[in-house]
Amino acid sequence: ADEKQLCISLMLKASLFMGKGQPVPIFSVFYSQHQRGYIYMEAMREAEVRDFCRGIRGISPWSIVVVPVAQMPQVVTSSVTDSGFKTFAQVGDYVRMKRKPYVGDMAQIEEINDEEYVVKLKPRIQNKLEHGNKGDDKESRAASKRPASRWFNKTDLEAAGVMVTLHKRGTAKGTLSFYMVGDEIYRDGFLFKRMKSTGLEMGEQVRPQEHELQDWSTAPGASEETRPPPDGLDREDEDKKKMPPPSFIPAKAAPPSEPLVEGDVVIVNHGELRNLRGRVVKAIFKARTVTVRPFDVGVNQDLELAVSTLCKFFEVGDYVKVIGGERDGDAGYVMALNYSDVPSWHKDAIAMVLSSNITAEFEVRLDQLRLTAQRAEAVMELGDFEVGQMVYVQGRPDSR
């Protein structure tokens, strides 16, 4: 058992003792996520702790040792510090499911979109034969076991009377084809599910077992039984693909986007949090998400948001510096914002910038700008004129 489960077992045993009126020698119990294999108990006597821990699987009474007095403050301080750390899941991390019928099953993160995750795991598909063996009464349904885990195979399922259809879905890798059974989709033998963070167990407590990793290494892979051929194309698309290509027309490459960094002011351009503004407080290079501290009243905690849903936010009068494109290195004041045909914030919106020396205006995409405190040196002379010099305005002889 892991450290968390052992602490829970001790708390349950303590509640049973209290319910019977028996004394509980342990005052508190805790663990640190970065100290694997250790839990800490607060008590008066070591012998009483040994007697209390008897019968709890995972705790050996003879492996209990007393922490030296000089180290006790460090143990408590490090545990409190560790409890304040937030676990950030990344694509490729292993997690465990909390929802039936996949409770405890190992899964792997494929996509991250705010607080929603797309994970892949070994399926548990119930065919018609297994459905027929279940009774109609409540006791029979409760006694029936959850379906056994087996890799997806189209031919085997159709032979067992399960209807398999095709389904296309947009993913981070583009539009891909999946097999669909009911409302669940499958590809390369795996089941792909969209889950909230509350339905997943994440962090260091998720430790893939050796037999699970060996089982995953035997996944069937890409074939006609596990992946719809051709991937992402129907027959009409096939015919178009086989046609000779037209004469070469060089496509205009899209300008590269500059990554978000700590300190950037951003706004959510779509989704449930649309128009939420905040400042980036943590950004990992090439990560799909960043940590944003909202400005809006009512949101008191940092949010983990997908980069694809964010756009840099500027206001008229902001002093900015160009960090990409043809005007790289220039600086000036934002004079106007142009959203093109879309009446809202988006990464391709344009800002009209007045250069620092007030001699030119130019247009720059928002993602190529950054707020800066660096100010250009003031230009005191320009050609035959200087600041403070009196001049005549042409066509107005009485003006100067």
Side-chain angles (χ1 to χ4, degrees):
D2 58 15
E3 296 81 6
K4 182 177 181 180
Q5 293 297 329
L6 292 177
C7 291
I8 294 175
S9 299
L10 287 169
M11 294 171 63
L12 291 175
K13 188 171 183 178
S15 65
L16 292 175
F17 272 46
M18 291 179 182
K20 297 178 182 179
Q22 300 179 4
V24 178
I26 296 178
F27 306 134
S28 65
V29 58
F30 61 92
Y31 75 101
S32 176
Q33 294 183 358
H34 302 290
Q35 293 289 336
R36 292 186 175 181
Y38 294 91
I39 62 174
Y40 300 94
M41 291 174 279
E42 181 184 6
M44 295 296 294
R45 297 179 180 83
E46 180 181 355
E48 293 178 347
V49 175
R50 295 182 187 276
D51 293 338
F52 186 79
C53 292
R54 292 183 185 276
I56 298 180
R57 181 175 298 179
I59 300 180
S60 173
W62 308 112
S63 62
I64 297 174
V65 296
V66 178
V67 178
V69 177
Q71 298 180 11
M72 288 183 182
Q74 300 176 5
V75 170
V76 177
T77 302
S78 63
S79 300
V80 173
T81 303
D82 291 344
S83 65
F85 290 157
K86 183 179 179 180
T87 301
F88 294 98
Q90 298 181 358
V91 174
D93 287 354
Y94 288 104
V95 296
R96 292 203 180 273
M97 307 289 288
K98 293 183 179 179
R99 300 286 186 265
K100 295 181 179 180
Y102 300 99
V103 177
D105 287 359
M106 184 179 72
Q108 190 175 34
I109 297 177
E110 284 287 304
E111 297 179 30
I112 301 177
N113 188 7
D114 293 342
E115 292 297 321
E116 196 172 58
Y117 300 84
V118 176
V119 298
K120 69 176 185 180
L121 64 156
K122 191 173 183 180
R124 292 182 181 272
I125 306 175
Q126 196 168 40
N127 55 39
K128 288 186 176 181
L129 296 177
E130 293 173 336
H131 274 291
N133 293 333
K134 296 175 65 176
D136 295 332
D137 57 331
K138 183 177 180 180
E139 290 75 11
S140 298
R141 291 196 301 269
S144 62
K145 296 182 179 179
R146 64 176 179 172
S149 61
R150 59 173 72 92
W151 298 113
F152 178 88
N153 186 284
K154 177 175 176 289
T155 302
D156 294 345
L157 289 175
E158 290 179 337
V162 178
M163 179 178 291
V164 181
T165 58
L166 300 182
H167 177 74
K168 291 184 180 180
R169 174 172 293 184
T171 67
K173 301 177 183 178
T175 302
L176 300 180
S177 298
F178 295 83
Y179 284 121
M180 175 176 280
V181 177
D183 58 350
E184 296 184 332
I185 58 175
Y186 303 85
R187 179 180 170 88
D188 297 342
F190 288 94
L191 164 65
F192 287 76
K193 290 184 70 70
R194 196 177 297 273
M195 302 289 297
K196 296 288 187 181
S197 58
T198 54
L200 300 174
E201 183 179 357
M202 298 179 288
E204 294 187 358
Q205 64 268 26
V206 178
R207 306 171 188 174
Q209 302 296 319
E210 183 177 358
H211 70 88
E212 292 176 322
L213 297 176
Q214 291 179 352
D215 188 21
W216 276 43
S217 66
T218 62
S223 67
E224 293 185 359
E225 303 298 331
T226 60
R227 179 187 296 184
D231 198 4
L233 298 174
D234 54 21
R235 185 167 298 278
E236 182 178 353
D237 294 332
E238 286 187 53
D239 296 339
K240 291 181 180 179
K241 187 176 181 181
K242 293 178 181 178
M243 292 176 62
S247 57
F248 177 74
I249 301 176
K252 184 178 180 181
S257 299
E258 298 295 331
L260 295 175
V261 298
E262 296 179 5
D264 283 345
V265 178
V266 294
I267 185 171
V268 181
N269 54 27
H270 67 271
E272 297 178 356
L273 300 177
R274 186 171 184 175
N275 294 330
L276 176 71
R277 296 183 298 118
R279 186 180 302 275
V280 177
V281 295
K282 184 175 182 180
I284 302 176
F285 183 65
K286 291 186 177 181
R288 298 176 183 268
T289 60
V290 293
T291 304
V292 177
R293 182 163 296 164
F295 292 153
D296 296 16
V297 178
V299 183
N300 300 322
Q301 61 180 359
D302 296 345
L303 301 177
E304 192 76 8
L305 301 177
V307 176
S308 59
T309 64
L310 299 177
C311 169
K312 290 187 179 180
F313 179 84
F314 298 98
E315 296 180 299
V316 174
D318 286 345
Y319 190 74
V320 295
K321 181 178 181 180
V322 183
I323 56 174
E326 298 178 356
R327 310 288 303 201
D328 188 11
D330 290 349
Y333 299 89
V334 176
M335 302 297 296
L337 298 168
N338 182 11
Y339 307 115
S340 301
D341 298 332
V342 182
S344 62
W345 290 91
H346 58 95
K347 66 177 182 179
D348 294 325
I350 301 296
M352 180 66 70
V353 180
L354 177 64
S355 62
S356 300
N357 53 15
I358 321 180
T359 58
E361 293 184 0
F362 53 90
E363 293 183 346
V364 187
R365 296 172 63 217
L366 294 186
D367 64 343
Q368 294 179 341
L369 292 176
R370 182 171 296 161
L371 291 173
T372 179
Q374 299 177 359
R375 303 282 175 166
E377 296 182 359
V379 178
M380 306 301 294
E381 298 183 1
L382 183 61
D384 297 333
F385 304 96
E386 62 182 13
V387 175
Q389 181 179 356
M390 299 184 67
V391 296
Y392 284 104
V393 179
Q394 186 176 2
R396 297 179 60 184
D398 58 340
S399 65
R400 61 180 180 175

